[in-house]
Amino acid sequence: MSAVRLGRFGAGLIRRLAIVNVVALLPLAILAGLQTRALVDEASDSLTRAAMARTVQAAQQEIKLIGAAQALARTLGTMAPRVVDDVPACIRLMDDAAAAYPEFSLVAYIPMSGQMTCASGGRTHDFAGNPLFARLTDAREPRLVLNPSGPVSGYAVLGAGWPVVGANGAQIGIVTVSVPHQAVVAPDPLSRDTLNEKPVALISFDRDGTILSHSIALEQAAALLPAERTLAALARGGAQTFDDFSPDGSHRVFAVASITSELFLLGVWSPADENALISSSVAPWLQAILMILSGLLAAAFAAERLVIRHVRSLSAAMSAFAAGARRLPQPDLEDPPAEIAELADVYAAMTETIQRDEAELENLLHQKAELLREVHHRTGNSLQLIASILRMHLRENPDDAVRQVLEHLLERVMSLSTVHLGLYRIAGSPEVQVNALIAEVIAKVEGLHSRSGRPTVIEQHLAPLALATQQAVPLALLLAEVLAAFLAGADDDAALLIRVRLTAEPGKAATLSVSGPPSARVRLTGSGGGAPDVIAARLVRSFVRQLDGEAELLEDGALLTFRVAFTIRQSITDANPTVDVA
């Protein structure tokens, strides 16, 4: 690489990036203050307008719990008159309600005397003289009260009361549902807590101005109320949003939402400009951040112009080369930096080397495929020669026992020959189309066992299936052995129907099944037969084992089915599997 290219990269690229950065930073520094002020004002206005909706959204859990408590109290209030005189039935009613709402700590009916004997869990308590009980019963209307220390639950609860009216129209007591205060003020897990959208406090109160629940400590909540307005006045004013100061002098945004006629919600929010105003201590850091951001933009532009466009051109050429394109022009690089120009030269040399190596590898693969075809061809021819010798011995040997052994041996030699000649025709591919190979095996085995005068029909239902030779060979030999068992064991004068079915789920599993007469059982299992049958059964088990499959025999009346299921293995480099029949 020449010194001219290196000097041009060192001086040109760095100088250009520096100039672009300075030009980009100057207008951003001028506009930063004006834009920040406008954003703060806009955020403040947006917070004030949206305070009502955000207050209701932040208090969704509180609203749901209180609403559920009021609804349950109202329902039980209409049912209680029927069971108040039957304490066990009344307790069961309260227990069922408490079980349906496990978030409530107590569900109870309290008569006007204050003696609570009907409550969830069978709890009892004397509320006579209790001021909160008196407040719940002083008016014949639903009420909500906050008890900082529940006498039954032992902790702060919010009570929802509903009057119970007897048959004579007079109030006979109240139904009260106690909600743990901690459950009411717990944060809603679905509410957002980002971008200053969490309220400072959420306070619920009734129309008399009594605080019912608060998301922070009661003392802190009192310090956050509007300094110039009471809660009772806010309840009379209904839904509203306004700016005011709290007693501690903090500027706040207040939103009042009317949940029910008895329940109101006050949301206390920080103003948008509380933390957004740019102070003298923050401004330098903000300016630095703006400078960094603008520098990144400038660098991005410079990188696109000076580096990325050249890399993109190289990448397109590399991607096309990786996808298989081999006759492409060199990447068009206009005035590239020295390092990128050097990279382009290296890429050109690399592609030339890869193309040369690919040509050599393709030649080697072609030679391997031809040698493999020749191996299968010679093996098939040798097996054919062995088969011819066996046929001569069959014709010349009068001993029936010897002839039977030779016939079985001939069958297996012909099966091996058929498989190898089939592999010869498709050698060179890492996978074998098993359905085509199986069709050849069926035709060859049927020819070996044909009987004059016996009509034989072999139905074939073969799904397309490609297997590595490590599985294709034992599968073909297994089919030859199983098919021979059905053909050899059948009667000579009876019509013979055999069904061969191959099903497959590509890339996962396959199943081969052969159905025919039950006479094949002896040869497939080896039970009750002679040495040839035992050898046949042993071969079947060996081939199933090489497939890593599972075989089963199913008999249904006059039909015997041999089925083997196996998992399809990925092709491996060894294209000449050995067949273990030990």
Side-chain angles (χ1 to χ4, degrees):
M1 189 56 59
S2 66
V4 175
R5 286 187 176 180
L6 290 175
R8 183 168 56 190
F9 175 80
L13 180 60
I14 296 176
R15 184 178 65 253
R16 294 171 191 175
L17 285 174
I19 294 174
V20 171
N21 282 338
V22 171
V23 173
L25 287 173
L26 183 60
L28 288 177
I30 297 173
L31 294 175
L34 297 176
Q35 291 178 344
T36 303
R37 181 68 261 178
L39 288 174
V40 170
D41 293 340
E42 182 180 353
S44 179
D45 294 340
S46 175
L47 176 62
T48 302
R49 291 192 300 268
M52 179 71 69
R54 292 163 62 192
T55 296
V56 175
Q57 179 183 4
Q60 282 299 310
Q61 177 170 314
E62 180 180 30
I63 294 171
K64 290 178 181 178
L65 275 177
I66 295 176
Q70 290 180 313
L72 179 61
R74 179 175 62 250
T75 302
L76 295 177
T78 60
M79 300 172 62
R82 297 194 293 269
V83 297
V84 292
D85 296 328
D86 185 354
V87 174
C90 183
I91 292 176
R92 286 195 298 273
L93 177 63
M94 301 303 161
D95 283 338
D96 291 342
Y101 294 89
E103 60 269 34
F104 300 153
S105 60
L106 178 68
V107 181
Y109 162 75
I110 309 174
M112 298 300 290
S113 64
Q115 297 292 330
M116 184 186 73
T117 57
C118 173
S120 57
R123 289 170 284 187
T124 61
H125 189 76
D126 184 7
F127 285 93
N130 187 300
L132 293 178
F133 175 72
R135 186 180 173 195
L136 285 171
T137 57
D138 62 355
R140 189 170 161 178
E141 60 183 7
R143 299 299 294 268
L144 287 169
V145 296
L146 175 64
N147 193 339
S149 178
V152 179
S153 304
Y155 44 78
V157 295
L158 178 65
W162 191 272
V164 179
V165 181
N168 58 0
Q171 182 175 356
I172 60 175
I174 62 169
V175 169
T176 179
V177 177
S178 297
V179 185
H181 184 261
Q182 186 61 34
V184 174
V185 301
D188 188 351
L190 298 179
S191 66
R192 295 184 295 174
D193 189 14
T194 59
L195 300 177
N196 198 29
E197 294 200 9
K198 181 178 179 181
V200 177
L202 287 175
I203 303 170
S204 64
F205 57 97
D206 61 16
R207 62 184 179 183
D208 296 330
T210 303
I211 294 178
L212 300 178
S213 66
H214 38 85
S215 61
I216 59 177
L218 183 59
E219 297 78 8
Q220 296 177 345
L224 291 173
L225 297 177
E228 302 296 330
R229 310 186 193 191
T230 64
L231 292 179
L234 293 178
R236 290 191 297 270
Q240 54 187 299
T241 303
F242 58 95
D243 292 341
D244 203 344
F245 289 90
S246 56
D248 62 359
S250 301
H251 181 214
R252 302 293 181 189
V253 177
F254 298 92
V256 179
S258 178
I259 307 304
T260 67
S261 61
E262 292 289 330
L263 179 62
F264 300 87
L265 183 65
L266 174 65
V268 183
W269 300 83
S270 297
D273 58 354
E274 183 180 49
N275 299 315
L277 291 176
I278 302 176
S279 64
S280 58
S281 61
V282 176
W285 296 104
L286 183 58
Q287 294 295 333
I289 292 174
L290 290 174
M291 292 178 65
I292 292 174
L293 291 177
S294 61
L296 290 176
L297 293 175
F301 174 79
E304 167 65 26
R305 179 65 185 169
L306 302 176
V307 178
I308 296 178
R309 65 189 182 108
H310 303 304
V311 174
R312 187 183 298 116
S313 178
L314 277 172
S315 176
M318 292 178 181
S319 298
F321 186 84
R326 291 296 180 265
R327 295 188 178 276
L328 293 175
Q330 291 298 317
D332 183 16
L333 304 181
E334 181 183 353
D335 191 21
E339 288 82 357
I340 295 180
E342 183 179 0
L343 179 62
D345 294 341
V346 172
Y347 166 70
M350 179 191 68
T351 54
E352 182 180 354
T353 302
I354 291 177
Q355 286 179 300
R356 183 171 58 252
D357 292 344
E358 283 180 344
E360 295 177 358
L361 181 59
E362 185 176 354
N363 185 44
L364 290 175
L365 288 175
H366 180 72
Q367 294 178 11
K368 177 184 176 182
E370 290 300 319
L371 289 174
L372 186 59
R373 284 171 54 85
E374 185 64 22
V375 168
H376 287 305
H377 190 202
R378 289 175 181 255
T379 302
N381 289 342
S382 299
L383 291 172
Q384 292 279 8
L385 178 60
I386 294 173
S388 299
I389 296 173
L390 290 175
R391 288 193 187 94
M392 291 192 310
H393 281 282
L394 273 171
R395 288 193 296 268
E396 300 298 332
N397 200 313
D399 191 334
D400 291 337
V402 175
R403 288 175 61 85
Q404 184 179 12
V405 172
L406 291 175
E407 286 176 354
H408 283 286
L409 185 58
L410 177 61
E411 293 172 10
R412 294 182 180 96
V413 170
M414 290 303 298
S415 298
L416 285 170
S417 174
T418 301
V419 172
H420 278 284
L421 290 177
L423 292 174
Y424 161 71
R425 283 185 288 274
I426 51 87
S429 173
E431 293 183 332
V432 178
Q433 291 299 322
V434 175
N435 49 313
L437 182 60
I438 285 178
E440 293 186 18
V441 171
I442 292 173
K444 180 64 69 175
V445 175
E446 182 182 8
L448 286 173
H449 292 275
S450 61
R451 300 287 187 272
S452 60
R454 183 181 72 180
T456 301
V457 176
I458 300 180
E459 295 182 358
Q460 304 178 34
H461 303 278
L462 308 177
L465 175 62
L467 290 179
T469 53
Q470 289 76 15
Q471 283 189 296
V473 171
L475 180 63
L477 294 175
L478 173 64
L479 174 63
E481 199 63 43
V482 173
L483 193 59
F486 282 99
L487 290 168
D491 296 335
D492 291 340
D493 54 353
L496 179 60
L497 173 62
I498 298 176
R499 293 185 177 91
V500 179
R501 180 179 295 274
L502 176 65
T503 59
E505 186 176 0
K508 294 183 178 180
T511 302
L512 174 67
S513 61
V514 183
S515 303
S519 57
R521 175 180 288 276
V522 174
R523 188 163 177 176
L524 292 175
T525 62
S527 300
D533 297 324
V534 173
I535 293 174
R538 184 179 299 171
L539 287 171
V540 169
R541 290 193 297 270
S542 176
F543 295 142
V544 170
R545 202 164 47 246
Q546 292 179 50
L547 284 171
D548 290 334
E550 295 182 0
E552 57 179 344
L553 275 177
L554 306 173
E555 189 166 357
D556 182 12
L559 184 67
L560 179 67
T561 300
F562 173 86
R563 181 180 297 146
V564 59
F566 58 94
T567 301
I568 298 175
R569 296 196 298 263
Q570 297 297 321
S571 176
I572 57 178
T573 55
D574 182 13
N576 293 291
T578 59
V579 180
D580 180 14
V581 297

